[in-house]
Amino acid sequence: MNEVTKFPEMDAVFAEFAKIVGAENILRAGEPEAERLRDEHLPGYETEREPLPSGAVLPETTEQVQAIMRVATEHKVPLWTISMGRNYGYGGPSPAKHGCVTLDLRRMNKILEINEELAYAVVEPGVTPEALWAEIEKRGLALHMDSQSAPWGSLLGNAVDRGVGYSFMADRANAICGMEVVLPDGEILRTGTGALANSSTWHCYPAGFGPSVDGLFQQSNFGVVTRIGLWLIPRPDAFRHAEVYISDLSERAAFIDTLVGLRLAGIIDNGVSGGVNFGGHIEGAQGPGGGMFPPPPGVMPGMRARIGFRGTADVVSAKWQATDAAFSKLKSYSSNSHQYEAPYDYSDWTSEACLAAGIPTDRELKDWTGAHFLTFASILLPATGEAYEEMVRVVAPIFQRYGMPFAGSGFHMHSPRAIMCLIAAPLKGFPLLPPPMAAMVDNDASEQLIRDVIAEAAKHGWLEYRTGTQYMDMVRGLLDFNDNALPRLHDRLKAMFDPAGILSPGKSGIWPK
Ligand code: ADP
């Protein structure tokens, strides 16, 4: 690392941070451990374009976060908030601006409450799905939860960034109920009914009295969220996991319409995930690269989806029968399904069943290691087969221009009326390509390809649901209704919440003046 990236001018500020959190909870650029503050999955990693943090400060309490905000405001030092920093593909721990101090909240890892009766937990930023599940199991609580692709990431970070899960609480932002936030001036705020100091419904009823502000702190740089209530579900008497497939892509639109109809009717219960399938298990096929690489010789691509049902045993059986009957109208349909009934022995569950039920599993570890060397667009379509087909027609020629195949994308339906499609291009190091294609990978070309997809998608009315740090300015620039009224409001709110402009500059394309 060169002299510039050591940021020696920050010595006095880091000395003040050390007084707050202790010298052992400071990281400086150039120290070996500070490497984890960078994102090796950025297309611009190790180029001039990579925004390097000047170091990190790791508070353990909300009071320490307040004190850090005050020091940062006084010295006009930009902070970049992360919880665990595992939002792979969206920038990981990396800031959008060179020189930020990473506000790394991993030491705030307390599970503050688990309410078994009303099925919710209250967690700090450093609590991972694995840790919450371990606690539920240790206490023998009759609860299920929702996990995410990286069970060693942050539950809170994923939820406030409006990430997705795969189970019954897959719509993560809408599973948040009640937040505690530290504002850039150091003030603490409680949202929802938590505004009443002795509220007994803070984590039971999301709206409070008057305008609701929770959304202002999601995909946002207006505050630092220090705790959230997160809804769980009572452990169901029965759970069924099914993988549904079609082998003939000409039935793809009908396949999607069937999934959506069953989900809207309340028959399929979970946030469905799926994508192009090449038959048999191919590592990475369910990850963001699904559909990106060519099928093995002789294998025709099809499509698959992972679905789940909960309830009593007979309710779950009936939901599955209705689902199977609806899909049976498709000629190339097949399925693989298993019903589990309490008491559960989770060690018997397949990893796919765990994903559909929200039980943290590192099953995606083997698929996702290296599979993060991708850059992607994450576009929202209306949940119709017709829209998906149009997406393939629009995106395939863009891939062709870059000499790459496109067989369709992976998708998530965490929200039942929209399909979020992950359209991925490879970065150097992506292991799932045949060697001749791997040798041709060019990070700059892949980034440009994804920019072309994002721009073309917007022309069709398809917006990103979330995006990587390198694309945030671009996506914000697309929000053109009424002369960019929404981004202009974001700017006004930024100036109000954070007049010193210290918090996560560039997050969601929102920059201080
Ligand atoms: P995960 O480890 O679950 O992937 P991250 O810690 O990477 O989650 O968080 C994802 C993004 O969410 C971060 O880049 C940041 O923009 C935002 N974020 C994370 N934690 C907070 C927080 N405590 N307050 C506000 N925003 C946050």
Side-chain angles (χ1 to χ4, degrees):
M1 198 166 285
N2 64 37
E3 283 307 306
V4 179
T5 58
K6 279 189 183 154
F7 304 98
E9 73 282 5
M10 296 285 292
D11 287 352
V13 175
F14 275 104
E16 292 212 34
F17 286 151
K19 279 189 220 148
I20 300 167
V21 296
E24 66 284 12
N25 294 310
I26 296 289
L27 274 177
R28 295 295 304 269
E31 292 173 16
E33 214 203 310
E35 281 301 292
R36 70 168 174 76
L37 307 175
R38 300 171 64 191
D39 180 15
E40 60 175 340
H41 308 108
L42 280 182
Y45 181 63
E46 290 202 320
T47 69
E48 294 274 290
R49 286 185 290 144
E50 184 191 356
L52 291 169
S54 58
V57 51
L58 287 82
E60 197 183 14
T61 64
T62 302
E63 292 70 31
Q64 290 178 358
V65 174
Q66 293 176 278
I68 290 164
M69 301 282 246
R70 292 190 186 112
V71 168
T73 299
E74 187 190 332
H75 294 273
K76 299 241 177 332
V77 167
L79 301 170
W80 183 265
T81 312
I82 63 166
S83 287
M84 294 299 282
R86 272 103 191 224
N87 59 340
Y88 299 126
Y90 298 107
S94 171
K97 178 184 153 80
H98 196 71
C100 282
V101 177
T102 308
L103 178 60
D104 180 341
L105 303 173
R106 65 181 51 218
R107 291 176 66 233
M108 297 181 70
N109 61 2
K110 286 192 281 302
I111 298 169
L112 298 164
E113 184 186 350
I114 304 181
N115 187 313
E116 186 180 30
E117 204 178 354
L118 295 178
Y120 68 79
V122 185
V123 294
E124 290 189 330
V127 177
T128 64
E130 282 173 342
L132 180 60
W133 182 244
E135 190 61 23
I136 288 171
E137 290 234 281
K138 190 174 112 196
R139 294 197 209 167
L141 304 176
L143 290 169
H144 274 184
M145 53 177 286
D146 185 62
S147 189
Q148 58 214 45
S149 61
W152 55 94
S154 161
L155 280 166
L156 181 152
N158 186 278
V160 300
D161 218 33
R162 299 204 287 260
V164 304
Y166 313 127
S167 75
F168 311 106
M169 306 304 282
D171 191 352
R172 300 304 290 281
N174 284 315
I176 294 176
C177 187
M179 302 169 116
E180 180 185 84
V181 184
V182 176
L183 301 176
D185 64 5
E187 183 157 76
I188 301 185
L189 175 82
R190 289 186 170 183
T191 69
T193 75
L196 178 72
N198 68 343
S199 170
S200 56
T201 55
W202 190 18
H203 307 300
C204 306
Y205 184 76
F209 184 75
S212 172
V213 298
D214 293 65
L216 290 180
F217 304 104
Q218 296 169 9
Q219 293 191 1
S220 152
N221 53 12
F222 301 161
V224 173
V225 183
T226 47
R227 70 168 75 173
I228 56 170
L230 196 63
W231 282 348
L232 313 173
I233 60 163
R235 184 172 61 208
D237 290 345
F239 166 74
R240 182 181 274 270
H241 156 244
E243 297 286 318
V244 288
Y245 312 94
I246 47 161
S247 56
D248 177 356
L249 278 189
S250 73
E251 293 189 305
R252 182 165 56 191
F255 180 75
I256 288 173
D257 288 336
T258 305
L259 281 172
V260 174
L262 291 163
R263 181 115 159 73
L264 280 172
I267 295 173
I268 294 179
D269 290 316
N270 73 327
V272 176
S273 296
V276 175
N277 175 49
F278 298 121
H281 178 72
I282 296 183
E283 298 226 334
Q286 286 277 70
M292 202 203 64
F293 37 89
V299 177
M300 285 302 290
M303 196 165 231
R304 71 189 285 169
R306 182 174 58 224
I307 58 184
F309 309 88
R310 63 167 169 144
T312 56
D314 49 353
V315 166
V316 167
S317 298
K319 286 178 181 174
W320 167 240
Q321 275 166 25
T323 299
D324 192 43
F327 277 108
S328 293
K329 294 182 185 130
L330 306 180
K331 284 197 202 63
S332 71
Y333 161 72
S334 62
S335 69
N336 191 349
S337 174
H338 186 76
Q339 187 155 321
Y340 302 86
E341 289 173 20
Y344 299 127
D345 174 359
Y346 298 107
S347 64
D348 271 359
W349 289 34
T350 63
S351 45
E352 290 285 355
C354 289
L355 288 173
I359 311 291
T361 164
D362 63 1
R363 176 232 168 228
E364 290 210 343
L365 178 63
K366 58 183 185 313
D367 282 2
W368 281 61
T369 306
H372 296 116
F373 287 103
L374 288 170
T375 182
F376 43 84
S378 316
I379 62 176
L380 290 166
L381 311 179
T384 67
E386 192 187 338
Y388 190 92
E389 290 301 328
E390 194 188 348
M391 180 279 292
V392 175
R393 276 196 300 277
V394 166
V395 171
I398 303 176
F399 273 71
Q400 246 164 29
R401 281 210 304 272
Y402 289 82
M404 277 190 248
F406 181 76
S409 78
F411 64 82
H412 296 284
M413 281 187 230
H414 50 292
S415 182
R417 289 167 187 79
I419 304 183
M420 190 274 280
C421 295
L422 284 171
I423 298 169
L427 299 176
K428 279 192 187 12
F430 184 66
L432 305 174
L433 289 171
M437 279 182 73
M440 284 163 54
V441 170
D442 170 349
N443 284 9
D444 291 344
S446 287
E447 180 172 335
Q448 192 52 50
L449 187 166
I450 294 304
R451 286 183 188 278
D452 290 358
V453 170
I454 292 171
E456 192 60 32
K459 287 185 199 155
H460 290 75
W462 307 326
L463 185 64
E464 305 301 294
Y465 103 109
R466 184 183 183 196
T467 200
T469 40
Q470 71 276 28
Y471 306 123
M472 285 176 180
D473 289 344
M474 178 188 180
V475 175
R476 174 191 149 109
L478 297 169
L479 306 177
D480 58 356
F481 173 74
N482 189 23
D483 194 20
N484 313 90
L486 184 64
R488 284 189 289 111
L489 177 64
H490 288 162
D491 287 346
R492 280 148 65 196
L493 291 169
K494 180 68 177 168
M496 186 193 82
F497 278 105
D498 184 13
I502 54 148
L503 200 56
S504 297
K507 174 71 184 175
S508 297
I510 305 169
W511 293 91
K513 272 235 164 71

